[in-house]
Amino acid sequence: GLSCFDGRRFLHLHLEEDTWHNLTRVVYEDRQGVIWSINYNGDVMSYTGQEWEVRYQSDWRLGLHAYSIAEDGQGHLWFANR
């Protein structure tokens, strides 16, 4: 899962689906405040403050799984994959 420290306490953000979603590899906050997460399976999820949404599920058979996130000057998100 993910935890956010606000200076006084931790807020724990957990997915209520399969537990493998909670094994976080990468965390990124974009310029709009959306939290992006890549888990150890290479799946991409976003959190807007209300709920998690699975944005991309990796396909290990094709070797398509995300490893990192970057945002360019125009606000486009780039995902490194293999």
Side-chain angles (χ1 to χ4, degrees):
L2 292 175
S3 298
C4 176
F5 184 68
D6 68 3
R8 295 184 316 162
R9 62 181 179 263
F10 282 94
L11 169 64
H12 301 286
L13 308 173
H14 297 284
L15 289 171
E16 297 187 18
E17 298 175 20
D18 298 330
T19 56
W20 58 265
H21 283 293
N22 284 319
L23 300 174
T24 302
R25 176 188 298 241
V26 174
V27 178
Y28 181 82
E29 182 176 5
D30 69 18
R31 65 172 72 179
Q32 296 177 342
V34 176
I35 303 296
W36 293 85
S37 173
I38 298 175
N39 67 17
Y40 274 90
N41 285 347
D43 300 327
V44 177
M45 289 145 299
S46 65
Y47 182 75
T48 59
Q50 299 294 321
E51 63 185 5
W52 285 102
E53 181 178 345
V54 176
R55 298 297 189 107
Y56 174 77
Q57 286 190 291
S58 63
D59 189 335
W60 284 87
R61 295 169 295 151
L62 297 177
L64 300 174
H65 40 277
Y67 282 97
S68 65
I69 306 170
E71 186 172 9
D72 66 20
Q74 296 178 337
H76 298 123
L77 295 176
W78 294 82
F79 296 86
N81 57 44
R82 203 189 263 184

